[in-house]
Structure formats: structure tokens, C-alpha cells
Amino acid sequence: MKRRMAVVCLIVLFLLAVPMQVSADARRLGQRYSVTLLVECLDTAVEAMRALPGFDLYMSISQYEAHYVRQVDAVFFRHAQAVLRDVGEVMYEQEHVRHLGMELMQLDTRITVLTQEMERLTLLMAASTTIDVLNAVDIQLTHVSRDRDWHLGRRNVLMNESQTVAMDITLTERWVPAEREHLTFGRRIRNSFMGSWNGLTRMGGDLVVLLARVGLPLMIWLAIAGTITLVVVRVTKKRSAVPMKGVEAHE
């Protein structure tokens, strides 16, 4: 009797537990992780980040900051998170999770309905006896097939999202102010003299360049103008000498 009661209790407990079970799709999650780290050396932090599992979807690196969007398998997420926390000081951290089970169940239902509709349209096309009916069924089959493909693609995206974690990683190098150099009086005099000398040398060089830029074209134009003037004077003298010789011969 006691054994029977124990068996009945086990059966009741099993029946009560069955409705509480949730399907695998209903437990699927989409997860996104954001972290901002303050690091001592940006190059070292970037190398440590690149050694993590996964691959980069986006990357942007400047002199003092680097930003990555990295996709990591869900099984390696906690390991990657622990490594990042050891890279530098965590300034900002956030985990965002959304449930995908309901949308996946709706997609599965819609895909099943569309598949059955395609099978029905395929049988109807095979039984068509006229061209008009055949064309109408073919157009409807094309629309249903396209709708089913879209839902399949969306389901694949959600399945991939449930198996991976998108990580927004920002690495910022810590700014360290440079120490000011304490100059002696002699060093200050030397720096002042060298600065004055360099300024005078720079000014003299600029003056030479200015003279070369202005003087060379001016000399060329003066040479051309002098040559033209000399030629004109010689031609004028020759023309004025010819009539004078004619007058002397007439006398």
C-alpha cells in the first residue's frame, strides 16, 4: 500500500512539473554588453582585447581612444568579460538582455502556416487546367514563398543573436600630465639667445627668399625691356642716317 501511494505521489508530482517546463525557444535570450575602460597603455589594451574569442563587427582607433563592437559566442562571454575587467579601470558597464522566445514561437507558427499554404498551392497548380488559373496560382505561390523566406531569415537572425553576445568596448588611455622642466638661470639665458638667433636667422632667410622671389622676375623684365629699347634705338639711328646720306649726295 505504501509503495502504491509513493508511486501515485511521484506520478502526481511529475504531472504537476510538466506544465511548468518551458520550451528551449522560450528560454532564448538576446544579450548586449557595453563597457568603457580607462587603461594605462592603449596599445597593450588593444592587443589584449584582440586576443579575446570572437570577431570584430566595427572598429575605430584614434590616438588616445579605441572603440570596438565585437561578437562573442555566449559560452565565452563571461571569460571575455573577466579579461576586460582586468585590462583597466571600469568606468561604465551595462548588460542588456531581451527575451526572444515569444518572437521565435510566432515565427515558427507563421513558417508552418506558410509552408502548408505553399503545399496547398503546389497541389492546386498541379490540378490547374487553364492558363489563367495556373498564372494566378503561380503569382500567389511566389508571394507566399517570399513571405516564408523572410520569416526564415528573421528566425535565423534571432537564433544567431541568442547564441552570441554583442560587446560594445571602449578603451580610453589615461592622460598623464607631463612634468615641467626646471631651468637654471644660465639655461634660460642660453635658450633666450638661441631663440633670438634662430628668429634672426629665420628672418634673414625669409628676406633672401623674398628678394629672390621679387628680384629675379624684375631683373628678367628689366633685361627684356633694355634689350628692346636698345634695338629700337639702333633701328631709329639707322633710319635717320639714311636720309642724311641722300641729302649729301644731292648737294
Side-chain angles (χ1 to χ4, degrees), residues 157-205:
V157 170
L158 293 180
M159 291 295 292
N160 180 71
E161 185 177 349
S162 67
Q163 298 169 1
T164 60
V165 178
M167 305 178 67
D168 290 316
I169 305 170
T170 301
L171 306 173
T172 304
E173 189 173 68
R174 189 188 301 275
W175 179 77
V176 179
E179 296 183 0
R180 298 184 60 181
E181 184 181 2
H182 297 285
L183 301 177
T184 61
F185 179 75
R187 184 68 178 275
R188 291 169 61 187
I189 294 296
R190 178 178 176 274
N191 291 345
S192 178
F193 175 76
M194 292 300 298
S196 300
W197 176 258
N198 292 333
L200 183 61
T201 305
R202 192 181 306 110
M203 185 181 298

Side-chain angles (χ1 to χ4, degrees), residues 21-29 99-101:
Q21 293 180 353
V22 185
S23 64
D25 289 341
R27 291 197 302 268
R28 296 195 179 277
L29 303 174
H99 295 275
L100 305 176

Side-chain angles (χ1 to χ4, degrees), residues 27-246:
R27 291 197 302 268
R28 296 195 179 277
L29 303 174
Q31 189 171 1
R32 193 173 188 91
Y33 174 71
S34 301
V35 63
T36 300
L37 300 170
L38 188 63
V39 300
E40 299 296 334
C41 179
L42 183 62
D43 294 336
T44 304
V46 168
E47 291 299 326
M49 198 280 306
R50 287 177 176 173
L52 295 176
F55 57 92
D56 296 329
L57 300 177
Y58 171 81
M59 176 184 65
S60 175
I61 301 178
S62 61
Q63 185 176 1
Y64 299 107
E65 188 175 86
H67 181 69
Y68 290 86
V69 177
R70 193 171 184 85
Q71 188 169 357
V72 180
D73 290 341
V75 294
F76 301 120
F77 166 62
R78 294 303 173 187
H79 167 70
Q81 185 183 41
V83 172
L84 287 173
R85 287 174 175 173
D86 293 336
V87 168
E89 181 182 355
V90 178
M91 304 300 295
Y92 170 81
E93 188 176 24
Q94 183 185 38
E95 291 186 35
H96 177 71
V97 178
R98 68 186 187 96
H99 295 275
L100 305 176
M102 183 60 66
E103 187 174 357
L104 284 170
M105 292 174 60
Q106 293 175 354
L107 288 172
D108 289 338
T109 302
R110 185 60 179 166
I111 290 171
T112 301
V113 172
L114 292 173
T115 302
Q116 295 175 355
E117 180 68 13
M118 289 180 62
E119 293 175 354
R120 186 184 68 83
L121 291 173
T122 302
L123 295 176
L124 187 61
M125 180 180 291
S128 299
T129 56
T130 62
I131 298 297
D132 295 336
V133 174
L134 185 64
N135 289 336
V137 174
D138 182 63
I139 292 173
Q140 183 64 22
L141 181 61
T142 301
H143 289 313
V144 174
S145 176
R146 188 181 304 164
D147 194 11
R148 178 176 176 272
D149 290 342
W150 185 91
H151 284 81
L152 284 173
R154 177 60 181 169
R155 188 182 188 282
N156 292 335
V157 170
L158 293 180
M159 291 295 292
N160 180 71
E161 185 177 349
S162 67
Q163 298 169 1
T164 60
V165 178
M167 305 178 67
D168 290 316
I169 305 170
T170 301
L171 306 173
T172 304
E173 189 173 68
R174 189 188 301 275
W175 179 77
V176 179
E179 296 183 0
R180 298 184 60 181
E181 184 181 2
H182 297 285
L183 301 177
T184 61
F185 179 75
R187 184 68 178 275
R188 291 169 61 187
I189 294 296
R190 178 178 176 274
N191 291 345
S192 178
F193 175 76
M194 292 300 298
S196 300
W197 176 258
N198 292 333
L200 183 61
T201 305
R202 192 181 306 110
M203 185 181 298
D206 294 340
L207 182 59
V208 172
V209 172
L210 179 61
L211 292 175
R213 181 180 299 176
V214 177
L216 288 179
L218 184 60
M219 291 177 62
I220 293 173
W221 282 109
L222 288 176
I224 295 174
T227 304
I228 295 174
T229 303
L230 183 60
V231 172
V232 170
V233 170
R234 288 183 177 180
V235 171
T236 303
K237 286 183 178 182
K238 288 182 179 180
R239 288 182 178 179
S240 61
V242 171
M244 291 178 64
K245 290 181 180 180

Side-chain angles (χ1 to χ4, degrees), residues 1-14:
M1 185 66 180
K2 292 182 179 180
R3 291 182 178 178
R4 290 182 179 179
M5 290 296 296
V7 172
V8 171
C9 291
L10 291 175
I11 294 174
V12 172
L13 291 175
F14 176 77

